[in-house]
Amino acid sequence: MRVIDLRRMRALLGALLSWGACACHEPAFPGEDTDCPVPGLTRAFAQGTASSQVQPRTRFGGLKVRRASGRTFVLETMRDAEGRDTRRLTVSTRDGTLAWRFDAAAGEHLSDFTVHPSGEVTLGIERTGAAADAYDLVRLSAEGQVLSRNALPAPATVPEADLGGTLPSPAFRMKSAEVHALTDGWLRMEARGEDVAVAFLSLVAVPEGGPGTRELASGLMTLQWTDGRYTEQWTRVIDGRHSTQPAAWAYDEFRWREAALRPLLAVDSDGRLVVGRTWNSSRCLASSRAFNDFTSVHCRSGEDVASPVDTERQPFAVTTFTPVGTRIGTHVFVPARAAEFVVFDMAVRDGEVALAGTVVTEGADGTIAYYPSAPGVQDRMTPYDGYLGVVSLDSGALRFEHRVDTGRADHFSALRWTEAGWVAAGASGWDRWYGGMSVSRGAGALLALASADGQPVRTLRPGPQGQDRHFHLLGVDADAESLVAVGLAEAPMTHTGDGGHLEAMTFGGLEVELR
């Protein structure tokens, strides 16, 4: 039986399409006339129309969006003028009509969701008042009815070797440290057909108030959907007992501090499960103790290992598991000459992982090309570029990367892998002073389409551009012909809430469509 390499097939198809188009050219800019038929999203970026909708402050903004079964699913968040926040999941038809929604009750934090092929939804919820066993899985029908709600099971299949001699059994409290309006959930999920995989970060199961109360551990669980409920198939430890405490002074208006904590999860086309997270010395040492994949010397001094409190240069690690739970291994990545680096999202396909985030790159002489906030001004702003990179899951080798520079600071918060390439959403046009983490200029929305063959990135800056507040995108999804992205409008900047001004910390919603 011949084995078909999907990556080579895609490359061959791309070459054939390029050969067939040799008598014409793609438009170099929106509106250019061309006889060349440009497919799907490429056409939308080159010739399409971007529309944006802004919801006023104290209304809901979007955190994540998915298109499936002819509908648009959005996880939304809201903060009122008294500082109270809540979340909801909305489901709309393609013309924007609300089909149904699920509202968080008091004391509930909606962490993540995934859509199954049937159109049913699994929603992850944390009950914030619970001291332990706080993570719930809710199964919703395609029409929004609750089919089941049960606590994420206490893992019963963790191999003893995974505990590394330092984790208790049971290892997980199934509880996060804290939640707020922009918390990037510690409970992440991806559909496996009608079943589900869940990656979770949790406080370690030790007595409240005792030593190690704030220590963390992460796990990966797969669950089968049968007879109206979820049952555990297998569970593995991702990172054992460790500490990650991003610096409190790094205000997370773009969720910088969130990136240091939460796990990311993806399922490859061959069923492999991939967990990504930032990599620090404490996580590395936990992996060394349990799995012997790094030496303790490397964990304390390696260039691809960060401090547990670092929020600026965060190497990114991916660990891969087979569909039945065998741990394949961990690769760590940080771009060459990266003075700062943060990954906000990832996507997986055909043995490769695509990363989206931001990077500050040193020159060959080790210096950084700071820029002034305005011509003639004697200050220095940090040159963040939006980052897109593609790395092999098998070797950890970088296949190619893009740095997107629109003139000021740029970053990508969300990423989706499509047939046209990688679609990314984030923000551009903001300034951050080189001596700290304070942002002094508001952001505007940024969209990008990067082709799979490494050609130049197409970018768009749709909707309002910020000055004293932010307009930025946090979620994106696309089909063959169009794109939808969601985020926040008139969101607060670093010092907006200084002095306890709660009303100033409110935000609205931003939605962008491109077709």
Side-chain angles (χ1 to χ4, degrees):
M1 184 178 73
R2 298 183 64 186
V3 178
I4 298 175
D5 189 324
L6 293 178
R7 279 172 287 180
R8 290 187 179 182
M9 287 185 66
R10 292 182 194 278
L12 177 60
L13 178 60
L16 289 172
L17 289 173
S18 297
W19 174 80
C22 63
C24 60
H25 70 281
E26 293 186 6
F29 53 85
E32 180 192 9
D33 293 331
T34 174
D35 296 326
C36 182
V38 184
L41 283 177
T42 304
R43 179 206 56 78
F45 268 81
Q47 300 170 296
T49 301
S51 61
S52 63
Q53 294 185 6
V54 173
Q55 299 295 328
R57 285 160 58 183
T58 70
R59 301 286 290 273
F60 281 90
L63 297 173
K64 175 180 176 176
V65 60
R66 290 292 180 264
R67 277 186 165 168
S69 305
R71 293 183 171 184
T72 301
F73 301 74
V74 184
L75 178 63
E76 298 180 324
T77 184
M78 185 270 286
R79 180 190 288 144
D80 69 19
E82 283 73 46
R84 298 182 295 261
D85 59 81
T86 189
R87 292 188 175 188
R88 68 184 186 184
L89 176 68
T90 63
V91 182
S92 304
T93 59
R94 292 301 295 270
D95 65 1
T97 303
L98 180 67
W100 55 269
R101 79 183 195 208
F102 183 98
D103 296 305
E108 291 183 344
H109 181 80
L110 307 190
S111 183
D112 194 17
F113 73 92
T114 188
V115 185
H116 300 276
S118 63
E120 294 179 358
V121 176
T122 299
L123 179 63
I125 298 179
E126 180 175 358
R127 289 171 283 108
T128 57
D133 301 321
Y135 296 153
D136 285 358
L137 297 182
V138 179
R139 182 83 172 208
L140 301 167
S141 73
E143 294 74 38
Q145 288 97 15
V146 175
L147 301 177
S148 77
R149 177 167 182 165
N150 299 101
L152 187 67
T157 62
V158 178
E160 184 69 25
D162 278 18
L163 302 179
T166 62
L167 278 174
S169 182
F172 309 103
R173 277 178 60 188
M174 296 299 188
K175 167 73 176 175
S176 75
E178 60 182 349
V179 297
H180 54 74
L182 298 181
T183 298
D184 210 353
W186 287 17
L187 182 64
R188 310 300 287 252
M189 56 199 61
E190 287 289 335
R192 300 207 306 168
E194 295 305 312
D195 300 331
V196 72
V198 177
F200 56 88
L201 181 66
S202 169
L203 297 169
V204 173
V206 296
E208 184 68 32
T213 300
R214 304 293 292 181
E215 289 183 315
L216 307 172
S218 56
L220 174 64
M221 179 185 294
T222 63
L223 301 105
Q224 187 174 23
W225 176 248
T226 54
D227 300 325
R229 64 180 295 114
Y230 279 118
T231 56
E232 178 187 3
Q233 293 176 305
W234 54 263
T235 303
R236 295 298 306 266
V237 172
I238 302 168
D239 297 317
R241 197 170 193 151
H242 69 275
S243 174
T244 301
Q245 297 176 318
W249 55 265
Y251 178 70
D252 62 340
E253 56 207 284
F254 296 135
R255 304 210 287 183
W256 235 263
R257 297 181 70 243
E258 298 301 310
L261 285 161
R262 53 86 183 106
L264 298 175
L265 175 64
V267 179
D268 203 352
S269 53
D270 62 3
R272 285 183 293 179
L273 295 99
V274 182
V275 179
R277 69 281 190 206
T278 58
W279 196 239
N280 62 45
S281 57
S282 186
R283 283 178 172 167
C284 184
L285 287 167
S287 184
S288 175
R289 288 189 295 266
F291 308 111
N292 298 312
D293 44 7
F294 300 91
T295 68
S296 59
V297 172
H298 179 84
C299 291
R300 292 186 174 94
S301 60
E303 285 294 313
D304 58 356
V305 182
S307 160
V309 299
D310 200 345
T311 57
E312 297 179 0
R313 189 178 185 274
Q314 301 181 26
F316 192 74
V318 291
T319 301
T320 309
F321 298 83
T322 69
V324 295
T326 303
R327 188 184 183 106
I328 298 173
T330 298
H331 294 294
V332 182
F333 175 75
V334 62
R337 303 199 314 273
E340 297 189 31
F341 177 60
V342 182
V343 170
F344 291 111
D345 201 6
M346 72 176 193
V348 169
R349 179 182 283 188
D350 299 340
E352 294 183 322
V353 56
L355 307 176
T358 192
V359 65
V360 177
T361 305
E362 294 177 344
D365 60 356
T367 61
I368 295 173
Y370 297 105
Y371 65 92
S373 60
V377 176
Q378 299 301 309
D379 57 9
R380 296 197 295 176
M381 301 295 154
T382 305
Y384 290 94
D385 294 334
Y387 184 84
L388 298 172
V390 179
V391 176
S392 168
L393 288 175
D394 296 325
S395 67
L398 177 70
R399 181 155 73 87
F400 68 83
E401 62 185 6
H402 295 289
R403 287 170 168 82
V404 174
D405 178 8
T406 67
R408 292 182 181 271
D410 308 280
H411 73 274
F412 293 118
S413 294
L415 177 71
R416 293 293 278 172
W417 204 320
T418 74
E419 293 302 322
W422 295 272
V423 174
S428 65
W430 49 279
D431 289 337
R432 173 167 278 161
W433 177 58
Y434 83 102
M437 294 291 282
S438 295
V439 174
S440 58
R441 178 186 172 94
L446 175 64
L447 293 173
L449 175 64
S451 65
D453 58 2
Q455 295 301 308
V457 179
R458 298 174 184 268
T459 60
L460 292 174
R461 299 175 66 182
Q465 299 298 305
Q467 287 291 330
D468 56 353
R469 297 184 76 88
H470 293 304
F471 295 81
H472 62 110
L473 298 171
L474 295 170
V476 67
D477 203 3
D479 54 27
E481 301 293 332
S482 63
L483 171 153
V484 61
V486 298
L488 306 182
E490 293 192 79
M493 298 206 307
T494 307
H495 297 294
T496 300
D498 287 2
H501 300 293
L502 295 178
E503 192 280 332
M505 296 299 291
T506 59
F507 49 79
L510 174 63
E511 180 174 326
V512 174
E513 285 203 67
L514 177 65
R515 60 178 66 245

